Amino acid sequence: MLDFKQKLENYALLAVKVGVNIQQGQILVINADIESAELVRLIVRQAYEAGAKQVKVNYSDELVTRTRYELAPAESFLEPPKWHADELEDLGKKGAAFLNVVSTNPDLLNGIEASRIADNQRTAGTAMAPYREMLMSNQISWSIVAYPSPTWAAKVFPDAPAEEQVGLLWDAIFKAVRADHENPVEAWTKHLDGLKQRCDILNERKYRKLHYTAPGTDLTLELPEGHIWCQAGAVNGRGVPFLANIPTEEVFTAPLKTGANGTVSSTKPLSYSGNIIDRFTLTLENGKVTDFTAEVGYDALASLLAMDEGAAYFGEVALVPYHSPISESGILYFTTLYDENASCHLALGAAYAFTLQDGINMTKEQLAGHGMNHSLTHVDFMMGSAEMNIDGITDDGKTEPIFRSGNWA
């Protein structure tokens, strides 16, 4: 049985070898909360040992972030971070890899005026658009891993003694990312092969539409001509494989922008920009959200939907069985990185160019012409459950079961 130090080393190894898959002479950029310095230092060492030319670490501090939202003048949220955007774009063009180590408090910005958060996201999103397009088309390698901060652990395990909360979250993370295996890289290779087999079956079927039914959900999604079912294991513009999410249990593609009709209800809380949005319902006509409700976080949801024209349309549809490791853990993580891998989900906002045949070689206008949504944002929300059925509808109108009672049919 591995001890904590061995598991942490394995986790750092996975981030470098499986996540961003650092190559000889490559630059690695790490964006991380200061709480995660213990893990970041191990990742830095692993990256240099793997041949990285330079590892650049950008630390943030959630208390500093909160203080800015509380005290900074409103006009400061309208000033684009051009210096940062230009640096990321330049590094991306040089072939750098990007790793985000997330550990933020899900309630960090609770009580902050929604307009301040929305202004900052819109301004930053506009400035970062060229860099985001590199990510959305898999031109560059990128990955996300998590580190359990005390505030996050307290949110996930509120009934546990305070001194045990972080340890409990570490145990859950190590299991979910397979860092508790003697050979975690081999374990991930086997897992990704299984997800690829699911993608191959769906790509062979070429469904025209998906029909979701569950309590509070009756939704039909049309899929664009030439859509591709993918898993998080991808290949960058230089032919190097990488894994965008650790962990991952999903297979996904892009819906037709104008092809969503019906109602969909959330099944897990959504942590969005330091606020929780929960128990919400979206009504869609011809792809666009025309009405919505939310018992928690209504203003945050309204701000998200108003981010830009594309924020009120879907950009991703993902399938995750109810009987999957993270779902069966019974843990609500309050972070999309984990909760989306316990539930079928949809994303409001931008579509990934690589989920369309030849999409990575298309212009923004050409992608739009093929029904792919464009937006400054991309926010996944969970809507799967043990009661969800999904049918695939073929070009000739034939209906076939894909999910029954939350699992693959």
Side-chain angles (χ1 to χ4, degrees):
M1 184 174 178
L2 304 183
D3 61 22
F4 178 85
K5 182 179 178 182
Q6 291 170 315
K7 293 175 186 177
L8 195 64
E9 289 278 3
N10 278 350
Y11 194 20
L13 176 70
L14 286 171
V16 171
K17 293 285 192 179
V18 176
V20 290
N21 190 13
I22 282 297
Q23 302 295 293
Q24 190 72 34
Q26 192 175 22
I27 297 171
L28 173 62
V29 181
I30 302 174
N31 300 304
D33 189 273
I34 199 167
E35 289 276 1
S36 63
E38 176 187 27
L39 175 61
V40 170
R41 290 167 186 149
L42 291 176
I43 292 172
V44 170
R45 176 171 290 278
Q46 291 275 9
Y48 279 123
E49 289 177 350
K53 179 171 68 175
Q54 181 184 359
V55 182
K56 179 177 173 56
V57 179
N58 300 316
Y59 280 120
S60 59
D61 183 327
E62 65 176 31
L63 293 180
V64 171
T65 300
R66 171 82 192 194
T67 303
R68 185 199 169 201
Y69 276 101
E70 289 176 338
L71 301 178
E75 61 267 23
S76 73
F77 298 104
L78 300 175
E79 296 177 1
K82 190 173 185 306
W83 60 272
H84 187 43
D86 288 347
E87 180 186 44
L88 292 177
E89 184 179 359
D90 179 61
L91 288 167
K93 288 178 178 178
K94 291 177 180 176
F98 297 82
L99 177 68
N100 288 335
V101 183
V102 297
S103 57
T104 50
N105 176 2
D107 297 314
L108 178 62
L109 301 183
N110 186 30
I112 296 294
E113 189 176 337
S115 62
R116 293 166 77 85
I117 300 172
D119 285 345
N120 187 63
Q121 289 207 321
R122 190 177 297 107
T123 302
T126 301
M128 301 287 184
Y131 165 69
R132 279 178 51 83
E133 287 176 10
M134 292 183 191
L135 296 181
M136 300 297 285
S137 61
N138 280 350
Q139 294 177 43
I140 55 179
S141 298
W142 57 282
S143 191
I144 307 172
V145 298
Y147 185 95
S149 67
T151 50
W152 179 25
K155 184 77 173 179
V156 178
F157 297 104
D159 298 326
E163 66 275 12
E164 297 178 11
Q165 290 168 341
V166 170
L168 288 170
L169 189 49
W170 264 129
D171 289 343
I173 287 175
F174 285 148
K175 184 176 181 180
V177 303
R178 298 171 173 81
D180 57 351
H181 289 233
E182 289 286 350
N183 190 332
V185 174
E186 181 180 284
W188 269 101
T189 299
K190 181 179 179 180
H191 176 56
L192 292 175
D193 285 345
L195 293 178
K196 184 179 182 302
Q197 289 175 16
R198 292 289 185 191
C199 292
D200 290 343
I201 293 170
L202 290 166
N203 285 324
E204 181 182 320
R205 300 308 299 154
K206 293 184 173 63
Y207 292 117
R208 172 57 60 194
K209 296 179 181 179
L210 303 178
H211 182 213
Y212 294 76
T213 53
T217 293
D218 188 348
L219 180 72
T220 300
L221 289 179
E222 189 172 351
L223 304 177
E225 186 73 30
H227 68 273
I228 302 172
W229 287 94
C230 305
Q231 40 96 0
V235 177
N236 71 15
R238 302 186 181 197
V240 178
F242 68 96
L243 179 61
N245 291 13
I246 301 178
T248 183
E249 302 290 338
E250 67 178 310
V251 298
F252 63 94
T253 190
L256 185 71
K257 177 180 178 179
T258 57
N261 288 278
T263 301
V264 58
S265 297
S266 67
T267 53
K268 291 179 183 290
L270 168 61
S271 178
Y272 171 69
S273 293
N275 284 279
I276 295 296
I277 307 172
D278 197 11
R279 297 185 295 279
F280 61 93
T281 298
L282 306 176
T283 300
L284 297 100
E285 295 179 14
N286 299 321
K288 186 176 183 178
V289 176
T290 56
D291 194 17
F292 65 95
T293 64
E295 293 185 29
V296 177
Y298 181 91
D299 289 344
L301 179 57
S303 294
L304 167 58
L305 293 169
M307 181 68 62
D308 60 15
E309 189 269 343
Y313 292 82
F314 292 145
E316 179 189 338
V317 48
L319 304 180
V320 180
Y322 184 75
H323 290 313
S324 59
I326 297 175
S327 174
E328 292 184 332
S329 74
I331 299 171
L332 182 60
Y333 287 90
F334 294 97
T335 181
T336 302
L337 176 63
Y338 278 74
D339 291 334
E340 73 168 6
N341 287 299
S343 169
C344 286
H345 54 274
L346 299 166
L348 290 160
Y352 291 108
F354 57 82
T355 57
L356 184 72
Q357 288 177 12
D358 202 37
I360 59 174
N361 297 316
M362 293 183 186
T363 64
K364 187 166 59 177
E365 291 74 22
Q366 288 172 326
L367 288 167
H370 283 78
M372 301 287 276
N373 191 28
H374 176 74
S375 175
L376 296 175
T377 193
H378 178 98
V379 178
D380 299 280
F381 69 92
M382 289 58 73
M383 38 74 76
S385 70
E387 300 171 280
M388 174 159 282
N389 293 329
I390 307 173
D391 289 311
I393 303 172
T394 61
D395 272 328
D396 60 5
K398 182 181 178 182
T399 298
E400 300 175 346
I402 300 176
F403 268 47
R404 286 294 180 266
S405 300
N407 293 290
W408 293 103

